[in-house]
Amino acid sequence: MTDPVSRPSLSWRGAARPAAPAYAALDLGTNNCRLLIAMPTAQGFRVVDSFSRVVRLGEGLAASGRLSQAAMDRTLNALHVCVDRIGRRRLRGLRAIATEACRRAENGRSFLRRVEHETGLAIEMISTREEAELALESCAPLLRTAPGSGQSRALLFDIGGGSTEIAWVRLDKRSRPELIGYRSLPLGVVTLAEQFGDDAFTEAGYTSMVRFVCDQLRSFEALHCIGREVAAGRVRLIGTSGTVTTLASIALELPRYRRSAVDGIALPSSSALQAAGALRRMGRSGMEAHSCIGPDRARLVLPGCAIFEAIHRRWPCDAVMVADRGLRDGMLLRMMRDRSAQLPMPPFPIPSLSVAAGMVPSA
């Protein structure tokens, strides 16, 4: 255990000289530890530093109900890196959150106390509702309604490691998107990967995953009658997760991932489903070798595709808007807005790219 006397100090607290106009947001999830440091701009913010590491905090959690010692040690190592990066800057604000793994684990709160003791970083365990709200906050600039589009609703999904957040949203071009209802499914790419194991790479196992997730969505559909709005063409489907950005990368045949190429594009659902099929044909070894996936994520991709396919099967929109933004973006925008009044929304339309339905890589 790190000597508490030598733990890093976070220089944004009580800084002796005026703080730089920068903010930091840290998201500790089931699979990843992510940090974003940014400065506000007229369009939102400009990233000045970022860090992401696969820590697998929720590894084995579904079976044991607890965070393992190895997972906590890996995560602490990553958090020490984050604290070091935070400590190099004088910030106006910092927020750090933990999500499903810490919510679900018996020792989740005690682990966060240990984190604060060893690093000085206070991490807040947020509710599933706030998780959905932060995802919506991050995607709000992409949800401005186009004049004459007829879209008055959005269905936003965020596929995480331990849970999947579904948000049903009211759109109005005169105001910010409004959350009508939300559902947090207690399943994500890590939990499905552990539940289905190697079967996830078989056609039968993949079909079972899709059916399993579909069943989890039935009650949300019964409550909000979303299918009726989808059939009338009034719903915009938007996804924010590694799953949808990976599907977009495969559909666009990118040699390596580029955020600027996928964030904000309208990806035809047919292209997304064909990309999922291409990934299934690659198999695990093919995904491990793919520059947009790699060995750390290969076992998680098909569970994510199954969740997306289940969402599309339940609510078959013609296209999915791809958002490479998440909880950190939502936290940053919230902190900046609360600190310096309303941040202006980008003017409509957001630059986007519609992908031809046939653009998928060959198997």
Side-chain angles (χ1 to χ4, degrees):
M1 181 177 290
T2 304
D3 182 351
V5 174
S6 63
R7 74 184 186 188
S9 61
L10 301 183
S11 61
W12 73 278
R13 293 173 178 166
R17 64 175 186 265
Y23 298 79
L26 185 146
D27 171 19
L28 178 58
T30 300
N31 197 52
N32 293 279
C33 174
R34 299 184 176 100
L35 172 71
L36 207 58
I37 301 176
M39 299 176 67
T41 66
Q43 290 73 38
F45 59 77
R46 176 175 61 86
V47 175
V48 296
D49 196 8
S50 65
F51 172 79
S52 180
R53 180 178 293 177
V54 174
V55 294
R56 307 193 309 279
L57 179 60
E59 187 175 59
L61 173 60
S64 69
R66 297 180 60 82
L67 305 176
S68 72
Q69 189 62 52
M72 291 188 289
D73 289 344
R74 285 194 301 266
T75 303
L76 269 166
N77 287 337
L79 289 170
H80 278 292
V81 175
C82 292
V83 167
D84 179 64
R85 288 180 180 238
I86 291 168
R88 296 174 194 170
R89 300 180 182 273
R90 296 191 180 272
L91 305 174
R92 283 186 179 171
L94 163 67
R95 191 179 183 199
I97 62 169
T99 55
E100 186 67 10
C102 289
R103 281 196 299 258
R104 189 182 300 184
E106 295 173 11
N107 56 342
R109 292 188 182 279
S110 64
F111 172 63
L112 295 183
R113 288 195 294 270
R114 178 187 170 193
V115 168
E116 184 169 12
H117 177 74
E118 294 191 23
T119 70
L121 183 64
I123 301 180
E124 174 188 359
M125 192 188 306
I126 64 169
S127 67
T128 56
R129 180 182 179 89
E130 184 170 5
E131 193 169 348
E133 290 172 342
L134 287 171
L136 176 58
E137 182 90 45
S138 72
C139 295
L142 298 176
L143 289 174
R144 300 294 297 278
T145 57
S149 70
Q151 293 178 326
S152 58
R153 298 287 186 272
L155 185 66
L156 185 152
F157 63 91
D158 181 2
I159 303 171
S163 66
T164 296
E165 315 308 319
I166 310 284
W168 182 227
V169 181
R170 179 180 291 109
L171 300 180
D172 187 331
K173 62 178 177 290
R174 294 179 300 275
S175 60
R176 298 181 65 80
E178 177 188 354
L179 186 65
I180 302 171
Y182 79 99
R183 172 76 194 278
S184 180
L185 304 180
L187 53 91
V189 295
V190 173
T191 50
L192 278 186
E194 292 186 351
Q195 180 177 342
F196 284 85
D198 290 340
D199 286 345
F201 294 93
T202 68
E203 282 301 314
Y206 183 83
T207 300
S208 294
M209 285 194 295
V210 174
R211 188 182 304 118
F212 175 69
V213 179
C214 266
D215 289 343
Q216 303 290 314
L217 300 171
R218 186 179 292 117
S219 61
F220 196 63
E221 163 60 24
L223 178 62
H224 294 289
C225 300
I226 298 167
R228 183 174 59 200
E229 299 294 308
V230 170
R234 292 193 285 263
V235 178
R236 182 177 305 181
L237 183 65
I238 181 167
T240 169
S241 67
T243 294
V244 289
T245 57
T246 298
L247 289 172
S249 298
I250 298 301
L252 289 167
E253 299 182 297
L254 297 181
R256 60 184 60 255
Y257 182 74
R258 287 188 295 115
R259 181 184 189 273
S260 60
V262 303
D263 184 47
I265 70 168
L267 179 68
S269 295
S270 56
S271 294
L273 295 173
Q274 289 177 53
L279 288 165
R280 294 200 302 277
R281 291 190 294 274
M282 279 184 202
R284 184 165 184 167
S285 60
M287 286 185 282
E288 287 176 345
H290 198 286
S291 59
C292 291
I293 301 171
D296 285 341
R297 295 183 56 235
R299 72 185 185 92
L300 307 178
V301 169
L302 292 187
C305 290
I307 295 172
F308 167 74
E309 190 163 334
I311 290 170
H312 177 265
R313 188 174 295 184
R314 181 66 68 186
W315 300 298
C317 295
D318 291 338
V320 56
M321 179 167 279
V322 179
D324 184 354
R325 46 190 78 196
L327 304 187
R328 296 172 302 164
D329 304 69
M331 285 187 283
L332 287 170
L333 290 169
R334 219 180 239 188
M335 283 189 287
M336 292 171 185
R337 190 177 64 249
D338 291 347
R339 175 79 184 217
S340 58
Q342 285 285 337
L343 286 176
M345 296 281 283
F348 189 87
I350 300 291
S352 63
L353 170 65
S354 292
V355 184
M359 286 187 66
V360 293
S362 56

